[in-house]
Amino acid sequence: MAGRSASPAIGIELGTTYSCVAVWRHNRVEIIPNDQGNRTTPSCVTFKGTQRIIVGDAARNEAIRNPTNTVFAAKRLIGRRFSDPSVQSDMKLWSFKVIEGDGNRPDILVNYQGEETRFAAEEVSAMILTKMKEVAEAFLGCAIKDAIVTVPAYFNDAQRQATKDAGLIAGLNVMIIMDEPTAAAVAYGFDSNDVNSIVKKNVLIFDLGGGTFDVSLLSISNNVVEVKATAGDTHLGGEDFDNRMLNYFVQEFKRKQRKDISSNPRALRRLKTACEQAKRILSATTETDVHIDCLYEGMDFYSTISRTRFEELNIDLFNKCIETVKRCHEDAAIDKNNIDLVVLIGGSTRIPKVQQLLKDYFSGKDLYKSIHPDEAVACGAAIQAAKLSGQGTEEIENLVLIDVTPLSLGINTLGGITSVVIPRNTPIPVQKEKVFVTSVDFQSDVMFEIYEGEGVQSEGNNLLGQFVLSGIHPAPNGETKINVTFEIDKNGILHVSAEEPISGEKKQITLINREGRLSKDEIDRMLHEAERSRMEDDQFIKKILAKNAQEDVADLLGRMMNELQEIKSKLSEMSQYDNTYSNIGRSHYGGESSNFCNDHSEGRE
Ligand code: AMP
């Protein structure tokens, strides 16, 4: 059990709408409930004027009162550019502001401590990760450092690196970034015991959450969980279904009241919350009402929506999910009839139409719903965290995960075409070599631009990095050959090298495209600020506790004083009584020596 560390390593699912944290303890996975007793925590952060930053359930409750300073769905911004069409379209429906930051980065603009303040998506995600870390620390009673954070399998390099940066800012040692469907498959393998079986099972994980959609096809047996192929959409999930309903009702309000609420953040936020609730209800019933008092300029909103209408509004998105399933098993070269099990993960798989389309696609095959859709990913991450930290059982130690690269990687060639070196769904770690030739007569330098993505034209793909190989053997175009090697290590990091054999010139780079991403200095600054803010929080909490304790003491003293006062006045009453009757006695009997009993019996008459 080498590598066993003192405090447990945790698994965190950093979701678009909800996050979840789990730990391997007492030979099983435990989901850690938050301070409200909830097993998932809203991925929501509120900035309250002069107060502290609030994360989780309390932040979500603030969303309607404080819509412009309540941030949700930061996962939809992380690692993306401000000009990304999905960022541009999301911004229109969000009640908080997103503006262009350095290097085309989308920055979130809120009022914090009385000032307009920008936060990167990494920072907001770090606040959520910090909350999950604190939830675990409170539950386990020790400081937590090591964690596995999950991401959608279809996240690109920039989104993965940015999530890792968020972990750093939260003060975590992110052991690995793990793919959500792979984590879910590990959880399934342990739950069903299929991981120990010698019979190989092909399992399709269908993961439709709040903001992202992933499909992974895995084979499970003999302690090996092997990803065969993965496909998905990092911008498809419950948020989109809510937005379709939101747009529908905005139009209805416009038609009925001749008023456009789309530029009113508070009204939009209230309507959106009602849409999410209605969507959930429609998974159980066929029709529901949506009623909001004083939605806009004193006007109420009242409407009804049927499940059929909700399905019509989203059918293209639901069909897109099924097309992605098809692409995934075709990429793995596994016929759909050879898929043994379809496992549903993510809250949006509760939508009956999604289940029906999936069941139809697999010719009526039953869908596996026994694993908790909101918790499976965190469970799988906790199992893998136990393995990597040497804290698991023998069964966990023996577990082998074989992952794939989700996107094709290649080099930009003449005419702006990407020549693929490592195709998508290649198992990692991997090393591949390809020979390129010069395109200009007697050129002595060659520029290499490395792209990620499935587009034929480089322009539509994601530029990961570039370098120049100088001093190559000059010759007519097409004659000088250059060997290019792509290597993806076990952490999914790409290293590229190029060598021209005649001159012996060689160059190697490790690809991390930091354009639009946080610099090392920025990460350090944010980490420092997050720590300062944590200390301020601690002081704030200590102050509140001290104030509460003071108030308790004051309250106790007050009550004691009152009681004392009461006792005093009773005593004084009694002594007055005593005196009165004494006096009466005295006047009645006229003698100093008369006793109380006599006085009393006399006085009663
Ligand atoms: P996850 O990211 O897996 O926690 O999924 C969260 C998403 O699931 C949110 O968009 C929720 O609105 C959605 N969701 C949760 N429960 C239901 C339900 N009963 N019907 C439809 N969508 C749901």
Side-chain angles (χ1 to χ4, degrees):
M1 294 253 174
R4 182 182 285 273
S5 63
S7 68
I10 53 172
I12 305 177
E13 180 192 5
L14 179 63
T16 310
T17 42
Y18 293 90
S19 294
C20 186
V21 57
V23 67
W24 178 267
R25 221 171 50 139
H26 311 315
N27 288 343
R28 65 192 174 96
V29 187
E30 286 182 63
I31 293 289
I32 305 181
N34 66 17
D35 43 359
Q36 304 294 307
N38 297 327
R39 293 162 72 85
T40 58
T41 299
S43 305
C44 191
V45 179
T46 266
F47 299 85
K48 283 195 83 181
T50 54
Q51 286 188 33
R52 317 181 293 133
I53 297 164
I54 299 171
V55 185
D57 297 280
R60 199 185 46 182
N61 295 341
E62 277 290 320
I64 289 173
R65 242 178 305 167
N66 188 13
T68 51
N69 296 313
T70 300
V71 182
F72 47 88
K75 191 171 172 178
R76 289 201 140 183
L77 291 175
I78 206 161
R80 289 186 189 271
R81 296 194 167 95
F82 178 74
S83 54
D84 187 320
S86 75
V87 171
Q88 291 298 312
S89 80
D90 277 342
M91 277 167 54
K92 292 190 191 120
L93 287 169
W94 284 340
S95 46
F96 57 92
K97 255 197 193 148
V98 178
I99 55 170
E100 185 171 358
D102 287 346
N104 198 9
R105 190 180 68 206
D107 278 351
I108 295 155
L109 189 70
V110 290
N111 188 310
Y112 176 50
Q113 299 195 325
E115 278 176 31
E116 281 217 317
T117 313
R118 289 162 176 249
F119 288 96
E122 287 91 324
E123 267 179 298
V124 174
S125 298
M127 289 164 195
I128 299 159
L129 288 175
T130 303
K131 171 79 183 179
M132 303 318 284
K133 178 177 178 263
E134 287 169 356
V135 162
E137 286 175 338
F139 181 81
L140 297 166
C142 59
I144 299 288
K145 191 80 191 154
D146 299 329
I148 287 185
V149 180
T150 62
V151 293
Y154 222 57
F155 252 22
N156 66 22
D157 184 72
Q159 290 167 308
R160 284 164 193 270
Q161 294 282 353
T163 305
K164 211 167 177 190
D165 291 345
L168 277 179
I169 299 168
L172 286 168
N173 167 40
V174 180
M175 302 157 92
I176 53 160
I177 292 285
M178 189 176 188
D179 287 353
E180 286 163 10
T182 311
V186 169
Y188 161 77
F190 273 80
D191 195 53
S192 61
N193 220 15
D194 276 356
V195 78
N196 293 319
S197 162
I198 47 164
V199 183
K200 196 175 191 172
K201 263 194 183 163
N202 289 325
V203 178
L204 185 124
I205 307 280
F206 183 94
D207 181 359
L208 187 60
T212 57
F213 171 53
D214 268 331
V215 185
S216 285
L217 184 47
L218 305 101
S219 72
I220 301 179
S221 70
N222 267 335
N223 291 316
V224 179
V225 175
E226 183 177 0
V227 183
K228 294 287 184 186
T230 187
D233 189 332
T234 52
H235 197 268
L236 177 60
E239 275 279 308
D240 300 284
F241 312 143
D242 300 344
N243 288 342
R244 288 279 171 98
M245 203 195 292
L246 177 66
N247 266 327
Y248 171 75
F249 283 139
V250 167
Q251 296 311 321
E252 185 176 307
F253 197 80
K254 218 187 244 175
R255 227 178 24 253
K256 285 186 180 162
Q257 308 284 3
R258 306 204 176 286
K259 294 279 179 194
D260 184 4
I261 67 162
S262 55
S263 54
N264 183 311
R266 187 176 141 82
L268 267 188
R269 187 63 230 170
R270 290 182 73 202
L271 189 52
K272 172 101 181 256
T273 303
C275 287
E276 206 238 354
Q277 263 162 14
K279 175 190 74 175
R280 287 176 184 248
I281 294 168
L282 289 177
S283 291
T285 59
T286 51
E287 194 171 89
T288 186
D289 294 337
V290 177
H291 187 184
I292 306 172
D293 287 333
C294 285
L295 177 64
Y296 188 72
E297 294 180 357
M299 285 174 266
D300 297 342
F301 178 77
Y302 190 86
S303 190
T304 302
I305 184 159
S306 67
R307 186 190 283 178
T308 315
R309 167 71 68 216
F310 171 70
E311 290 169 359
E312 278 167 12
L313 291 172
N314 288 293
I315 192 67
D316 58 320
L317 300 179
F318 297 160
N319 282 330
K320 210 169 157 189
C321 295
I322 305 302
E323 283 158 26
T324 309
V325 168
K326 184 168 184 278
R327 183 154 66 90
C328 183
H329 73 78
E330 283 179 357
D331 270 1
I334 294 176
D335 188 82
K336 65 176 177 176
N337 296 319
N338 292 332
I339 292 172
D340 300 293
L341 211 71
V342 178
V343 179
L344 301 185
I345 302 291
S348 299
T349 56
R350 294 191 177 99
I351 296 171
K353 187 72 180 175
V354 170
Q355 294 189 9
Q356 184 220 315
L357 289 172
L358 201 53
K359 202 168 170 173
D360 290 350
Y361 182 74
F362 286 104
S363 320
K365 181 187 274 301
D366 279 340
L367 308 172
Y368 188 89
K369 300 181 207 162
S370 301
I371 193 158
H372 199 297
D374 305 330
E375 298 174 0
V377 171
C379 286
I383 293 172
Q384 182 67 358
K387 176 186 160 75
L388 295 187
S389 59
Q391 293 163 337
T393 53
E394 199 184 334
E395 194 186 7
I396 288 184
E397 298 296 315
N398 292 339
L399 179 71
V400 177
L401 281 187
I402 301 172
D403 230 323
V404 294
T405 180
L407 296 161
S408 302
L409 297 155
I411 288 214
N412 183 37
T413 56
L414 203 63
I417 305 293
T418 300
S419 168
V420 173
V421 180
I422 300 182
R424 70 169 186 262
N425 290 323
T426 303
I428 56 169
V430 65
Q431 181 172 324
K432 290 215 172 191
E433 196 180 281
K434 198 164 182 174
V435 178
F436 290 84
V437 291
T438 48
S439 58
V440 178
D441 287 340
F442 304 104
Q443 72 183 93
S444 57
D445 299 342
V446 189
M447 156 85 104
F448 289 94
E449 288 173 330
I450 295 104
Y451 280 89
E452 162 194 73
E454 305 317 311
V456 176
Q457 296 200 338
S458 302
E459 209 181 5
N461 291 332
N462 184 30
L463 177 66
L464 291 180
Q466 54 201 34
F467 67 94
V468 176
L469 183 66
S470 307
I472 60 167
H473 170 68
N477 82 64
E479 283 190 12
T480 305
K481 293 189 174 67
I482 297 157
N483 302 327
V484 175
T485 307
F486 276 38
E487 186 202 343
I488 306 177
D489 66 19
K490 64 179 191 322
N491 291 312
I493 307 285
L494 175 65
H495 311 270
V496 179
S497 63
E499 185 177 16
E500 194 269 291
I502 298 177
S503 66
E505 282 301 322
K506 191 170 178 177
K507 199 142 197 177
Q508 172 156 21
I509 61 162
T510 296
L511 281 204
I512 299 175
N513 180 15
R514 299 215 72 95
E515 203 223 341
R517 299 241 337 278
L518 301 173
S519 66
K520 168 105 181 45
D521 285 352
E522 280 175 309
I523 293 174
D524 286 347
R525 177 182 57 75
M526 287 171 184
L527 176 63
H528 186 71
E529 268 172 27
E531 266 163 15
R532 186 179 54 82
S533 155
R534 265 198 295 278
M535 273 157 63
E536 278 175 13
D537 277 4
D538 280 352
Q539 276 170 359
F540 180 84
I541 291 165
K542 274 187 197 141
K543 237 162 83 182
I544 295 279
L545 289 177
K547 196 164 161 260
N548 286 349
Q550 259 176 10
E551 279 171 9
D552 284 350
V553 171
D555 188 44
L556 187 68
L557 275 174
R559 275 187 285 126
M560 282 167 72
M561 292 296 282
N562 284 344
E563 274 170 27
L564 265 173
Q565 200 59 45
E566 264 176 46
I567 292 169
K568 228 169 125 188
S569 47
K570 267 192 193 145
L571 280 173
S572 124
E573 241 176 59
M574 280 163 76
S575 72
Q576 263 182 22
Y577 188 70
D578 190 9
N579 286 339
T580 311
Y581 283 104
S582 297
N583 290 342
I584 292 169
R586 269 196 292 272
S587 62
H588 199 246
Y589 290 99
E592 286 278 314
S593 58
S594 305
N595 65 36
F596 189 78
C597 289
N598 285 341
D599 286 351
H600 196 235
S601 54
E602 282 292 311
R604 280 245 163 165
E605 281 174 3

